[in-house]
Amino acid sequence: MKKLAIKVDIDTLRGYREGVPQMLDLFKKHGIKASIFFSFGPDNSGKAIRRIFRKGFISKMMRTKAPSTYGIKTLMYGTLLPAPMIVPSAPDIFARASDEGHDCGVHAWDHVYVQDELPGITKDEFLSLFERSAEMFEKLSGSKPLSCAAPGWQISPVSLEVQEEAGLKYCSDTRGHSPFIPVFRGRTYSPVQIPTTLPTMDEIMGLPGIDDDSIGDVWLKGMDKEWNVLTVHAEMEGLSKISVFEKFILKAKENGALFHTLADYARDSAPKEENIRIGTMTGRAGTLALQEEK
Ligand SMILES: [Zn+2]
């Protein structure tokens, strides 16, 4: 029996408003509890265009058909159009995810800002961004957030310190193979890291031999760890790729997969200290946080 946790990242207003309700319907239909991480504040997706000079950005935009996946409007938020607020635009969607028993956590207050500017963000600023999300989380769900997932798998000593001081039970900021207690630049942090183990759709879709029909098999084959984690995006698997996502869920069930949340993993695993290093990954522009290979 293979364990699988579905981690949903919500990056944009459109993903939140249109993708999340469809995903919640899908999870209900298949009796799955997922771990869902929300971007609460402004949708500044248009500013991601600054990444255009980064190696790999354009090929990724082409491979993932970004304009049709994200919508033209989304690609202008924060530049030609003002940045709309995400969760406040429809707080009932967040409340529904929480009420339906999903493991909810914080992705970001401002996803694009944190993903692109994290190295320059001070502890005070990071704390105030986190607190804004945490306050909204608590107001809408009645409890404090116990987990977070870094935008674009970006970490800094500041982000890890704030997560520890906030008393989070676990964080999913890294890519790797199994739950671990993170050591970064010689310091240990208490929240357990539950890394994403599988490649995301936007990293591999369109590579040779990988299309809507075959991606589910690629993921199934990749579920060779004890604690498998797949990150999906409300913008993609919740919208234009929802049927591809459902096909994968059905296949995974046929193959005996048992669905868990990241909170279950944090509770059930026996993590040991391991290093985080900053490196690169196929299909992803720029660097990200990786669990050191054993
Ligand atoms: Zn994200």
Side-chain angles (χ1 to χ4, degrees):
M1 292 293 224
K2 291 277 180 200
K3 284 197 277 282
L4 175 65
I6 304 277
K7 166 178 174 272
V8 181
D9 285 357
I10 304 162
D11 297 357
T12 65
L13 180 72
R14 182 160 176 254
Y16 177 71
R17 300 280 304 246
E18 298 170 30
V20 175
Q22 297 205 78
M23 279 190 150
L24 292 176
D25 290 345
L26 190 70
F27 292 144
K28 194 182 248 176
K29 181 173 161 193
H30 296 289
I32 292 170
K33 300 288 181 235
S35 294
I36 309 181
F37 297 91
F38 293 80
S39 294
F40 285 86
D43 179 350
N44 272 307
S45 299
K47 288 184 182 156
I49 198 72
R50 291 178 303 204
R51 296 177 201 151
I52 198 153
F53 297 111
R54 233 182 258 171
K55 192 172 158 275
F57 179 77
I58 294 183
S59 65
K60 186 177 154 189
M61 294 292 270
M62 308 272 282
R63 229 177 356 88
T64 59
K65 303 191 176 67
S68 64
T69 298
Y70 289 92
I72 293 296
K73 245 167 98 180
T74 301
L75 299 177
M76 296 195 292
Y77 286 149
T79 56
L80 298 173
L81 291 172
M85 296 293 274
I86 298 178
V87 172
S89 75
D92 53 305
I93 298 173
F94 173 84
R96 179 184 163 197
S98 165
D99 289 348
E100 292 183 358
H102 295 287
D103 169 34
C104 298
V106 173
H107 196 27
W109 178 256
D110 181 338
H111 190 288
V112 170
Y113 177 61
V114 173
Q115 182 172 353
D116 290 356
E117 308 291 336
L118 185 61
I121 297 178
T122 63
K123 189 170 170 190
D124 282 351
E125 190 183 8
F126 193 87
L127 181 64
S128 102
L129 290 166
F130 180 78
E131 280 176 343
R132 269 181 261 178
S133 300
E135 273 163 29
M136 199 174 285
F137 187 108
E138 192 172 357
K139 204 174 94 191
L140 297 173
S141 71
S143 51
K144 288 188 193 312
L146 295 174
S147 61
C148 74
W153 295 280
Q154 300 299 305
I155 61 154
S156 71
V158 155
S159 71
L160 297 173
E161 259 174 59
V162 168
Q163 292 164 0
E164 177 173 84
E165 286 169 22
L168 300 186
K169 293 271 179 278
Y170 77 84
C171 301
S172 187
D173 303 332
T174 52
R175 307 294 292 262
H177 44 82
S178 59
F180 66 105
I181 296 165
V183 181
F184 185 53
R185 295 182 188 160
R187 205 200 125 168
T188 304
Y189 298 87
S190 61
V192 178
Q193 278 290 332
I194 315 283
T196 293
T197 64
L198 288 156
T200 63
M201 183 180 275
D202 62 317
E203 286 163 359
I204 57 171
M205 186 62 97
L207 294 180
I210 304 182
D211 56 21
D212 286 355
D213 292 326
S214 62
I215 193 162
D217 294 319
V218 174
W219 280 334
L220 276 183
K221 233 175 110 188
M223 285 168 51
D224 55 359
K225 319 268 187 305
E226 187 180 357
W227 312 95
N228 302 289
V229 177
L230 174 68
T231 293
V232 296
H233 285 89
E235 293 66 31
M236 202 174 254
E237 285 90 342
L239 288 167
S240 65
K241 298 295 186 190
I242 193 146
S243 58
V244 178
F245 183 42
E246 183 168 27
K247 254 200 279 175
F248 165 68
I249 287 176
L250 288 168
K251 240 182 205 176
K253 283 189 150 180
E254 271 169 34
N255 279 268
L258 294 174
F259 290 86
H260 293 262
T261 63
L262 299 186
D264 297 335
Y265 282 11
R267 191 195 55 225
D268 299 340
S269 58
K272 293 191 181 62
E273 285 193 0
E274 280 177 68
N275 284 312
I276 299 179
R277 68 177 179 90
I278 305 299
T280 56
M281 258 184 97
T282 313
R284 193 149 283 284
T287 58
L288 69 174
L290 307 170
Q291 178 179 14
E292 202 130 75
E293 288 300 321
K294 271 185 260 183

